Amino acid sequence: MKLSIIALYVICSYFLLTAIAGLGNMLGIGILLKLDLILLLSGLYIFFSSSVKKMERIDILLLIFLLCISLSSAFNNYSTDLFYYGLRYQILLTIFFFVGKSEWFADWKFFDKMQMPIIAVSLIGLYLYLAQPSWYIAWKLQSTTEFSSESRILEMTRLSAFWQYPYWVSYGCALLYHYKLYTMFTSNVKKQDVLVIFFLFFIIVLTQQRAPLLFIVLSTVFFYIYSFCTKSKYQYKKFRRILNISIIALVMGTLYVLLNVLDEDRILFMINKIISADSGNTSFLSERLGLYKDFQSMPVTFWGDGIGRYSHLAYQQNKLAITDCQYIQTLHETGYFGLIGYILLFIYLIVNGMRNIKLNIFEIGVLIFYLIAMIGANPLSNQGIHTIFLWICCGRIINNDCLHYKQNEYEKSNCN
């Protein structure tokens, strides 16, 4: 029992631990690996102590699916370190799906603990973004040899806090923004929550990543429209009024930041990056697919070329890599078997979640966000994009203990 409580506490401290790991990595302390292992071991403990006892058909099918991918990859002739990278950062992280299905994650503890680390990291990141200390820029640029490229330099100077790329910050802020809107919608609106979503919006704008920005816009629009589809209650009228005021304030605040804080080059770079995905034609998708022209002539097999073969580690080793599209990477690494398997899993989760849409709004929103993000990122095989968060939400969608807990919450709020 004590070990279960410790494991629960460790996983609920995910954002704090990964923030510390990021800081340590930036300072060259090298604690990133150890904290990753602590999280993984905690997830494995909960899996073996809780989930194994209550296996359902979907659990068994998922384990067989992961085992087939792992075994087929093991028989492929490629670097062992790439195989272990894929095993650790894709296959083993899926164990958090079972963590999300356990009774330990029926409540909101995991999500409530995300606010302080994300805000603290974002504040530090905002200072580094505005101050631009020379040592910090030099550290961010050390991963690229394209120092002569102005666009590359602007790319690397996006708000990213302790990381060279802004994924941890942008995706973390988007997830917290969505959670805050959800809590504001399902309970009383608090002034501090309004301030938090203001702050998160500006941070996401400064990270200059399309998927998180699109997600918070869609999340806001969804909850606004959904408030009209529910029974007329005071809290929904208040919720809409707060959103109306917030939208106006956010637009004005964004214009102020753009006109008075950022220089012209960064403003133009930000605008071009955001609007490039909405050019009125297929140029964005063509450009995205064009990044992997080397793979267009490569055959796709049923089992694929092996997990981790085209991962970020392969990129670091100057080998062929697919770092910006999960669908293409999954197709080439795990073949038709892997891509179809993942698609069927996500369809199953969405269909089951829609049966209890009122109770699963938050988790379904997270899943859809990641499905969109997979067009331009690799969240299934990159822990820095909060893969653990995704799988916990997926498990919660079909977690009966979680559904009962949320149902009781709704009944209590209706009584009030």
Side-chain angles (χ1 to χ4, degrees), residues 348-358 360 364 397:
Y348 172 83
L349 292 172
I350 291 175
V351 170
N352 277 269
M354 294 296 287
R355 293 173 181 172
N356 295 286
I357 181 65
K358 183 179 71 173
N360 289 316
I364 291 177
I397 290 176

Side-chain angles (χ1 to χ4, degrees), residues 206-219:
L206 295 178
T207 61
Q208 302 166 47
Q209 290 202 298
R210 305 178 190 92
L213 185 58
L214 174 63
F215 176 57
I216 64 173
V217 171
L218 292 178
S219 178

Side-chain angles (χ1 to χ4, degrees), residues 183-213:
T183 55
M184 288 169 61
F185 181 81
T186 56
S187 59
N188 293 326
V189 178
K190 300 177 182 178
K191 292 181 179 178
Q192 58 266 35
D193 291 337
V194 177
L195 293 176
V196 169
I197 65 170
F198 274 139
F199 177 71
L200 294 173
F201 178 86
F202 289 122
I203 295 297
I204 293 170
V205 169
L206 295 178
T207 61
Q208 302 166 47
Q209 290 202 298
R210 305 178 190 92
L213 185 58

Side-chain angles (χ1 to χ4, degrees), residues 73-253:
S73 298
F75 288 103
N76 273 296
N77 183 24
Y78 68 108
S79 176
T80 303
D81 57 344
L82 293 179
F83 168 72
Y84 282 118
Y85 183 90
L87 192 66
R88 179 178 174 188
Y89 291 105
Q90 181 168 338
I91 301 300
L92 288 181
L93 289 184
T94 311
I95 209 72
F96 286 91
F97 169 82
F98 302 97
V99 171
K101 280 187 83 251
S102 71
E103 67 274 13
W104 298 97
F105 282 78
D107 57 22
W108 300 101
K109 289 191 187 77
F110 175 77
F111 306 96
D112 290 335
K113 287 183 176 292
M114 66 191 289
Q115 177 169 312
M116 291 308 296
I118 290 175
I119 291 178
V121 170
S122 298
L123 284 170
I124 298 172
L126 182 61
Y127 167 77
L128 294 172
Y129 178 79
L130 296 176
Q132 298 281 306
S134 57
W135 64 267
Y136 181 66
I137 298 301
W139 171 75
K140 292 189 70 173
L141 291 173
Q142 70 182 11
S143 66
T144 179
T145 58
E146 301 176 47
F147 291 104
S148 60
S149 172
E150 182 180 354
S151 62
R152 182 62 176 172
I153 293 175
L154 289 171
E155 179 83 23
M156 296 302 293
T157 54
R158 291 182 290 171
L159 193 155
S160 60
F162 308 144
W163 299 266
Q164 291 170 324
Y165 294 92
Y167 291 104
W168 192 100
V169 179
S170 62
Y171 280 68
C173 287
L175 294 170
L176 179 57
Y177 182 100
H178 180 58
Y179 181 59
K180 281 298 173 184
L181 276 188
Y182 172 78
T183 55
M184 288 169 61
F185 181 81
T186 56
S187 59
N188 293 326
V189 178
K190 300 177 182 178
K191 292 181 179 178
Q192 58 266 35
D193 291 337
V194 177
L195 293 176
V196 169
I197 65 170
F198 274 139
F199 177 71
L200 294 173
F201 178 86
F202 289 122
I203 295 297
I204 293 170
V205 169
L206 295 178
T207 61
Q208 302 166 47
Q209 290 202 298
R210 305 178 190 92
L213 185 58
L214 174 63
F215 176 57
I216 64 173
V217 171
L218 292 178
S219 178
T220 303
V221 172
F222 171 80
F223 280 113
Y224 188 86
I225 295 175
Y226 190 63
S227 67
F228 287 99
C229 302
T230 57
K231 295 180 180 178
S232 178
K233 297 179 182 178
Y234 171 74
Q235 72 178 71
Y236 296 132
K237 295 179 181 177
K238 184 179 180 181
F239 176 81
R240 290 194 295 270
R241 186 168 66 250
I242 291 294
L243 278 188
N244 289 334
I245 297 173
S246 299
I247 291 171
I248 296 172
L250 286 172
V251 171
M252 294 177 64

